[in-house]
Amino acid sequence: WQLRAELQAFGRQYFDVANTIDQPPVQLVNLRGAIDVGRWTVAGFVRNATDRRYLGYASPTFFTFAQLA
């Protein structure tokens, strides 16, 4: 069997040229577990295990658009 924990860190991000839309640094925890069953491996993944909210995308238009990830 296998277990893995991963810390994924992102520094401050800016989403426009004028740096008016930004996001502070974000850390995400990802998990993976697997077990070998004969010739097969069964695996499960959990991305963002702590359910941290962050901006995945933002666009500075007339109406500022941001997508939470």
Side-chain angles (χ1 to χ4, degrees):
W1 53 271
Q2 306 164 11
L3 294 174
R4 181 173 72 196
E6 176 181 278
L7 177 64
Q8 192 173 15
F10 301 96
R12 179 173 296 277
Q13 292 182 319
Y14 296 94
F15 295 98
D16 65 338
V17 177
N19 293 341
T20 58
I21 303 173
D22 71 328
Q23 173 174 269
V26 174
Q27 295 81 34
L28 304 177
V29 176
N30 303 317
L31 304 172
R32 178 184 188 273
I35 187 167
D36 294 326
V37 182
R39 298 185 318 155
W40 297 89
T41 299
V42 178
F45 302 89
V46 177
R47 296 179 80 186
N48 194 7
T50 59
D51 198 27
R52 173 69 191 257
R53 297 289 183 196
Y54 62 97
L55 288 176
Y57 176 79
S59 175
T61 59
F62 181 71
F63 297 104
T64 299
F65 172 77
Q67 177 183 354
L68 289 176

